[in-house]
Amino acid sequence: MTSMSLNVIALGGNAILDKVPSDEGQKEVVRKVASDIVSFIQLGEKVVICHGNGPQVGNLMIQQKAGDSEQTPMMHLDTNVAMTEGSIGYWIQQAIQNELAKKKMNKSVISVITQVEVAEDDPSFKKPTKPIGPFYNQEEAESKMKNGGGIYQEDSGRGYRKVIASPKPVSIVEKEALLSLIKAEVITICVGGGGVPVIKNKQGNYEGVEAVIDKDLSAKNLAKEIEADRLIILTGVDNVYINYNQPNQKKLEHLTVQEAKQYIKENQFPPGSMLPKVESAIEFVESGGGEAVITSIENLKNVTTGFGTRISY
């Protein structure tokens, strides 16, 4: 991969809300990420940044439910997605601006509230799989389900989380505006939380729906649309594993598209976490993209030297 490559970087919401769920705790993680991103840019790389919001949007809904009243009613899920897209985008934008100033780099940064169209008849509306919010033990999850708190499923051996609809992204509504920003070499933060999920109604107008789009799938769509050279999916682990959290777990360093598809057939990747990352990587490569990389935030600076799980032909 040559220098001056165009990279779409997808940053996981779980990676931001790592241990400390407070405002300052998450900002501190984002500041470290911003330093890594700017160091990556210094290598001659161009970046467009997407981020997740699963834990954050779930927590926001819990907060809203606790204060729900006639005077302060809960917002719909699409509005909560927009709120967390704005707050996390603000954190990233400010942190990158500060890091650029520290390194005396004259570049502009902007975060864009982005809508992503989905299909009204997407099957995920009947079979939710996207985890949001905090982890619970089995007893807590069963209690919440009995009391009408939604559907909870086990998530990658880490506990139980609420799951909601996660429809596939169809198109990015603000694509032309994003392309203009990228052409002007503005560091752009967009499709946060997968973008605000919208459908077109019978009148041809957009309206929000109760869902959270997987940010990796939206990042893949964006990478295809802007003809990026590389899709980088940052998560909480250095590499993808098979037999994860089992005695015979194995780290994967390079996968062909065919090998990745075979592991999917073997159900090696959990639907709400690693599966959409691997699927996004496959689809990006098959669409003509150079390569996809899945790795941790800390190893972003090592991507150009071959670190992480790389998926290509």
Side-chain angles (χ1 to χ4, degrees), residues 60-74:
L60 178 59
M61 292 176 70
I62 291 170
Q63 292 168 350
Q64 289 192 355
K65 187 173 182 180
D68 187 29
S69 70
E70 189 175 340
Q71 289 75 31
T72 57
M74 283 187 70

Side-chain angles (χ1 to χ4, degrees), residues 205-218:
N205 298 320
Y206 292 113
E207 60 180 55
V209 290
E210 294 281 302
V212 172
I213 305 169
D214 188 275
K215 69 98 180 37
D216 297 313
L217 297 179
S218 289

Side-chain angles (χ1 to χ4, degrees), residues 1-294:
M1 193 71 61
T2 60
S3 61
M4 294 302 291
S5 297
L6 178 58
N7 302 267
V8 169
I9 297 175
L11 171 65
N14 283 306
I16 296 171
L17 202 166
D18 182 18
K19 296 183 178 69
V20 184
S22 66
D23 181 283
E24 186 53 40
Q26 294 181 80
K27 284 179 179 175
E28 179 59 30
V29 174
V30 168
R31 282 192 282 269
K32 293 175 182 174
V33 175
S35 177
D36 289 333
I37 289 174
V38 173
S39 295
F40 189 66
I41 293 169
Q42 282 187 302
L43 297 174
E45 302 292 327
K46 299 177 183 178
V47 303
V48 179
I49 303 155
C50 308
H51 62 81
N53 72 340
Q56 293 84 358
V57 76
N59 288 356
L60 178 59
M61 292 176 70
I62 291 170
Q63 292 168 350
Q64 289 192 355
K65 187 173 182 180
D68 187 29
S69 70
E70 189 175 340
Q71 289 75 31
T72 57
M74 283 187 70
M75 299 291 105
H76 290 165
L77 184 51
D78 59 308
T79 300
N80 284 308
V81 170
M83 290 168 72
T84 51
E85 183 176 11
S87 60
I88 298 170
Y90 151 65
W91 295 341
I92 298 171
Q93 176 178 318
Q94 185 183 79
I96 290 177
Q97 286 170 330
N98 290 339
E99 194 65 27
L100 289 168
K102 188 190 301 182
K103 296 187 176 181
K104 295 181 169 52
M105 295 171 66
N106 185 24
K107 286 184 175 291
S108 298
V109 190
I110 195 167
S111 52
V112 182
I113 300 296
T114 319
Q115 301 171 95
V116 174
E117 187 176 354
V118 300
E120 190 171 4
D121 61 352
D122 189 289
S124 76
F125 286 110
K126 294 182 179 178
K127 188 178 180 182
T129 59
K130 176 67 177 175
I132 64 169
F135 289 90
Y136 298 96
N137 61 38
Q138 186 173 355
E139 185 179 347
E140 290 170 329
E142 288 174 352
S143 173
K144 288 180 178 295
M145 286 191 284
K146 285 177 184 176
N147 293 312
I151 301 171
Y152 288 74
Q153 292 179 359
E154 197 273 334
D155 181 6
S156 306
R158 297 175 291 178
Y160 287 75
R161 296 173 76 191
K162 185 173 183 176
V163 290
I164 56 169
S166 184
K168 295 287 180 71
V170 174
S171 63
I172 298 168
V173 176
E174 291 79 14
K175 184 186 77 172
E176 293 305 320
L178 298 177
L179 285 170
S180 297
L181 289 166
I182 294 162
K183 186 176 180 181
E185 298 193 7
V186 175
I187 299 170
T188 304
I189 304 153
C190 57
V191 295
V196 182
V198 298
I199 59 168
K200 264 192 177 177
N201 61 24
K202 292 177 182 177
Q203 291 73 43
N205 298 320
Y206 292 113
E207 60 180 55
V209 290
E210 294 281 302
V212 172
I213 305 169
D214 188 275
K215 69 98 180 37
D216 297 313
L217 297 179
S218 289
K220 173 264 303 179
N221 275 29
L222 177 66
K224 285 167 60 177
E225 293 291 342
I226 67 173
E227 298 182 352
D229 301 293
R230 190 191 282 121
L231 172 64
I232 303 171
I233 299 175
L234 299 179
T235 185
V237 292
D238 292 343
N239 291 79
V240 179
Y241 290 81
I242 55 172
N243 306 317
Y244 186 64
N245 265 349
Q246 298 175 35
N248 61 336
Q249 77 172 19
K250 178 185 175 185
K251 179 172 73 173
L252 303 174
E253 295 183 341
H254 180 262
L255 283 174
T256 64
V257 167
Q258 200 57 44
E259 287 170 336
K261 286 182 175 180
Q262 181 57 40
Y263 286 135
I264 288 174
K265 286 181 183 177
E266 296 172 8
N267 297 316
Q268 285 285 353
F269 311 123
S273 54
M274 194 55 75
L275 179 60
K277 293 173 174 56
V278 176
E279 288 178 332
S280 299
I282 291 170
E283 290 180 35
F284 173 67
V285 172
E286 289 187 325
S287 72
E291 67 173 355
V293 183
I294 303 173

